[in-house]
Amino acid sequence: MHLLVCGGTGCHASESDAILWNLRDELEAKGLSDKVQVILTGCFGFCEKGPIVKVMPDNTFYVQVKPDDAQAIVEEHIIKGRKITRLLYHDPKTKEPVGDSKHMGFFKKQLRIVLRNCGFINPENIDEYIARDGYEALGQVLSEMTPEQVIEIIKDSGHRGRGGAGFPTGFKWEIARRNKSDEKYVVCNADEGDPGAFMDRSVLEGDPHSVLEAMTICGYSIGASKGLIYVRAEYPLAIHRLQVAIRQAHEYGLLGKNILGTDFSFDISLRLGAGAFVCGEETALIHSMEGHRGEPTIKPPFPAESGYRGKPTNVNNVETFASIPVIILKGAEWYKRIGTEKSKGTKVFALAGKINNVGLIEVPMGTTLREVIFEIGGGIRNGKKFKAVQTGGPSGGCLTEKHLDVPIDFDNLVAAGSMMGSGGMIVMDEDDCMVSVAKYFLDFTVEESCGKCSPCRIGNKRLYELLNHICEGKGNVSDLDRLRNMSLVIKDTSLCGLGQTSPNPVLSTLDNFMDEYIAHVRDKKCPAGKCKDLMEYYIIPENCVGCTACARVCPVNAISGERKEIHYINPEVCIKCGACMEKCKFDAIIIR
Amino acid sequence: MSSIKIELRQEDVNKIKEICTSFNNDPQELINILHSCQEHFGYLPAEVQEVISSETDVPVAQIYGVVTFYSFFTMTPKGKHPISICMGTACYVRGAEKVLEEFKKELNLQVGQTTKDGKFSLSNLRCVGACGLAPVVLIGDKTYGRVAPDDVKKIIKEYE
């Protein structure tokens, strides 16, 4: 019997370590330490209800476990064989407890290829990875295949890079192979900068060896002997687990000189990022790895021709690498059967925002947004109405109700006015103001623009100012045309991917939520009630009983009225702090 | 450069040299060197950068360029308890802005500032990847999840 305790960043922050130690202590006290193993695993994906403890082999899935629950789990479940109902996941619709993870809506529609080991193995133990066919693909590649054959399989599988743009992985490897050089490099881009995306972090924390194995396979295929992982400094747990994994792989002869007794040698080292979003762009990333400011340069030359230290360099993202060993083992034919015509395989998405089941999911390409948001994600929080889903981070766009039945793949998302990006999906409800959301992303871009080219450096700043103007109620209808025109110029003239995609949040909200922009500029109203300068607190005369509670709490004495008489808010004086609305017991105060 | 003038002690200089040597004084390792130095000193004052420059042969202007480019590096000392509020999209839509406002009000601080007693500093960061716990606040190494504006007073009290 095994007890799996989630050790991902989210659960880790909610004391999953303490749960682990308490479970071990309890088992020790009952003399069961040799019969039941407690393992700290990577992320299960169901972050909403963490910390999570899973009992194997019966798949019992305990949610929101507290360190004090360890005793009950050992005494009730392990010893008496009774599931603890209060810790089980309860279906939000039926309110019934769900006995095991296989019957949870969250997991039913998922197909886990990249996340195959996350939540199953102890990421700090190489033996557990090997027990689940780990390093078998590498063994096969080194002993039975030529580099050309490996590249052929990857090309044939139709796999496309998961970093955002969706460039075919096999072709990328082939170009790097063709470029002759005394030294080549394999780089893993783990600079996961999109806010709200955490799939790479989870793979590195939950299954670091899959990335090391794939990088080694890539090194063999393109003729490189050195690999580098560029990882965000904001992910200390991922860095730690990578360091442990690299050390163990060395001890087992799976990294270093003469891997598995062959004449192929390969080594991997880490490079830390330092908090710059633009470093996710591959040329900027390479400059950063060389110790410079992370500024992008014009392509060509592509990194495959002249990259790190001027040598041919193949850059792939974490999720891309993590799917490679499975493709080698199960074959291109198997992989091709999953997904859509032009986008094969699965994609990991990070669901976040106003959704019931925040977490990490993996679905076949071609799954619809509706299935992801309403079936796996469990719908919108607090019974609110769905308004939009933002995909692709600051480079993507907002999709609406009318896009819900679009099968998700690289090309469909672009056609709908957004993009796949790294796979963040932020769900928004009726309370979110789309003009503010566009402003939020522009604020991000302005801060993260490296400043090298002027369309991005100056243009985005002007876009942000214009949006701010509109949110403050100072905009007019002609500003909307200026927004669009400026966006198109920035897209066309920026140097790198950051600038070329930064106006997307503006363009997609203009396309899909024009009425909201119009309300801001013409009627000076914010329909979602988010823009402070556009709202007014108002007392509904019919509901006011004259209790004076609001007048007493108002910090600027904007509310007048005698006891037991209707009160009135002076909009000239009101600072819109909302204190009166919180205090009112009669729902008499509204924002309009 | 920074307006703060500090005098490095000999042992500090030795420490920087030791860090640079551990990375073979390789200019390509500059970012890793800066990480290690910031871990040791808490920040990267001009004087520290000058020593790194003489060790690695990277012009000090270039080092300054790198330090100011990356948001992780700072040239002013942070508080004993650095407070970072996550402003990633998931946290933003779940109300991180209001939490930040509350911290600003309670500590009477702006983002990027440190309290006079050196106890707290305030910054915002972009996504720590704990979106399940949004909105998220980090104080030192400790993560606080699902923070509401009303919790702010209580959290600050833990450190007083």
Side-chain angles (χ1 to χ4, degrees), chain A residues 380-392:
Chain A
I380 312 302
R381 286 169 91 82
N382 305 327
K384 296 264 183 177
K385 201 169 166 291
F386 168 82
K387 183 168 189 177
V389 54
Q390 209 280 344
T391 69

Side-chain angles (χ1 to χ4, degrees), chain B residues 34-45 48 72-79 82 121:
Chain B
L34 292 171
H35 269 299
S36 297
C37 288
Q38 181 159 303
E39 207 169 287
H40 183 76
F41 294 101
Y43 67 120
L44 295 167
V48 171
F72 218 81
F73 299 133
T74 168
M75 289 183 60
T76 47
K78 286 203 169 168
S121 54

Side-chain angles (χ1 to χ4, degrees), chain A residues 212-511:
Chain A
L212 302 187
E213 182 181 4
M215 286 178 74
T216 315
I217 293 172
C218 178
Y220 174 75
S221 309
I222 69 165
S225 60
K226 185 105 188 78
L228 296 143
I229 304 176
Y230 186 85
V231 56
R232 291 180 82 195
E234 286 91 334
Y235 289 173
L237 195 58
I239 295 169
H240 167 73
R241 295 209 171 134
L242 277 171
Q243 285 165 336
V244 171
I246 291 173
R247 203 187 59 228
Q248 289 177 345
H250 267 283
E251 285 165 9
Y252 277 60
L254 295 162
L255 272 182
K257 282 212 160 54
N258 303 104
I259 294 173
L260 294 169
T262 63
D263 54 8
F264 174 64
S265 300
F266 192 75
D267 209 347
I268 295 176
S269 56
L270 298 185
R271 285 283 192 281
L272 299 194
F277 175 69
V278 68
C279 290
E281 203 278 341
E282 51 187 10
T283 59
L285 179 144
I286 287 167
H287 294 305
S288 180
M289 288 201 309
E290 292 169 340
H292 301 295
R293 291 161 70 97
E295 286 173 349
T297 38
I298 291 173
K299 295 191 273 192
F302 289 90
E305 302 154 89
S306 169
Y308 183 63
R309 299 188 187 215
K311 306 288 183 188
T313 304
N314 180 69
V315 186
N316 282 133
N317 124 303
V318 173
E319 197 186 330
T320 307
F321 278 126
S323 28
I324 298 294
V326 194
I327 298 177
I328 303 279
L329 284 180
K330 297 200 175 177
E333 284 306 317
W334 167 81
Y335 195 75
K336 267 197 287 194
R337 284 200 293 270
I338 308 163
T340 64
E341 197 196 333
K342 285 187 176 152
S343 303
K344 300 296 179 195
T346 55
K347 177 77 191 86
V348 183
F349 291 103
L351 285 180
K354 307 276 184 66
I355 190 161
N356 275 317
N357 301 338
V358 169
L360 208 62
I361 63 152
E362 184 173 354
V363 289
M365 294 275 192
T367 307
T368 64
L369 283 168
R370 191 185 299 281
E371 287 170 292
V372 169
I373 295 167
F374 291 93
E375 292 182 35
I376 300 171
I380 312 302
R381 286 169 91 82
N382 305 327
K384 296 264 183 177
K385 201 169 166 291
F386 168 82
K387 183 168 189 177
V389 54
Q390 209 280 344
T391 69
S395 312
C398 292
L399 302 173
T400 63
E401 189 96 44
K402 68 173 188 244
H403 301 111
L404 280 178
D405 293 309
V406 171
I408 306 168
D409 70 8
F410 286 105
D411 311 292
N412 282 343
L413 285 183
V414 170
S418 183
M419 68 184 281
M420 182 80 83
S422 58
M425 269 195 193
I426 317 277
V427 177
M428 298 172 198
D429 68 11
E430 52 196 308
D431 294 339
D432 288 306
C433 162
M434 300 318 284
V435 185
S436 304
V437 167
K439 188 180 94 171
Y440 164 81
F441 280 112
L442 260 297
D443 176 40
F444 180 90
T445 320
V446 167
E447 210 170 292
E448 294 297 340
S449 171
C450 78
K452 183 168 177 169
C453 74
S454 38
C456 177
R457 182 184 67 241
I458 303 169
N460 282 318
K461 180 107 180 133
R462 292 291 98 83
L463 271 187
Y464 173 78
E465 286 164 358
L466 212 54
L467 287 167
N468 204 22
H469 210 62
I470 293 171
C471 288
E472 283 173 351
K474 296 173 192 158
N476 57 52
V477 179
S478 68
D479 286 340
L480 303 185
D481 280 335
R482 282 179 62 206
L483 271 181
R484 187 181 293 277
N485 291 338
M486 207 146 51
S487 295
L488 295 174
V489 172
I490 297 170
K491 256 177 105 83
D492 285 346
T493 52
S494 290
L495 173 70
C496 83
L498 191 154
Q500 287 157 12
T501 57
S502 59
N504 282 354
V506 180
L507 289 169
S508 80
T509 46
L510 276 173
D511 287 341

Side-chain angles (χ1 to χ4, degrees), chain B residues 73-91:
Chain B
F73 299 133
T74 168
M75 289 183 60
T76 47
K78 286 203 169 168
K80 191 172 162 218
H81 306 293
I83 302 173
S84 311
I85 287 108
C86 180
M87 283 302 220
T89 323
C91 290

Side-chain angles (χ1 to χ4, degrees), chain A residues 10 13 48 195-196 198 201 232 272-275 288-294 308-309 353-354 358 381 440 444 447, chain B residues 28 30-32 35 62 65-66 69-73 87-90 92-94 126-127 129 131-133 143 146:
Chain A
E48 179 67 38
F198 49 100
R201 196 212 70 206
R232 291 180 82 195
L272 299 194
S288 180
M289 288 201 309
E290 292 169 340
H292 301 295
R293 291 161 70 97
Y308 183 63
R309 299 188 187 215
K354 307 276 184 66
V358 169
R381 286 169 91 82
Y440 164 81
F444 180 90
E447 210 170 292
Chain B
Q28 304 226 341
L30 179 61
I31 290 175
N32 281 341
H35 269 299
Q62 198 177 318
V66 170
F69 184 85
Y70 295 97
S71 64
F72 218 81
F73 299 133
M87 283 302 220
T89 323
Y92 172 80
V93 301
R94 283 203 190 173
R126 302 285 186 188
C127 200
C131 308
L133 300 173
T143 312
R146 303 202 173 94

Side-chain angles (χ1 to χ4, degrees), chain A residues 124-196:
Chain A
E124 299 191 15
N125 185 345
I126 189 171
D127 290 326
E128 295 195 14
Y129 178 68
I130 292 172
R132 286 176 64 92
D133 300 334
Y135 288 105
E136 205 175 306
L138 178 66
Q140 246 178 52
V141 163
L142 292 184
S143 59
E144 298 164 20
M145 295 164 80
T146 64
E148 287 78 10
Q149 284 173 320
V150 181
I151 291 173
E152 204 46 50
I153 289 188
I154 306 297
K155 266 168 72 178
D156 190 30
S157 74
H159 187 275
R160 293 168 69 173
R162 298 312 198 233
F167 192 82
T169 311
F171 283 100
K172 207 171 192 176
W173 288 19
E174 193 171 44
I175 299 166
R177 166 144 198 95
R178 255 194 259 130
N179 288 312
K180 297 273 171 275
S181 172
D182 54 334
E183 184 69 282
K184 293 181 190 177
Y185 295 96
V186 175
V187 171
C188 173
N189 182 348
D191 189 53
E192 187 172 49
D194 281 8

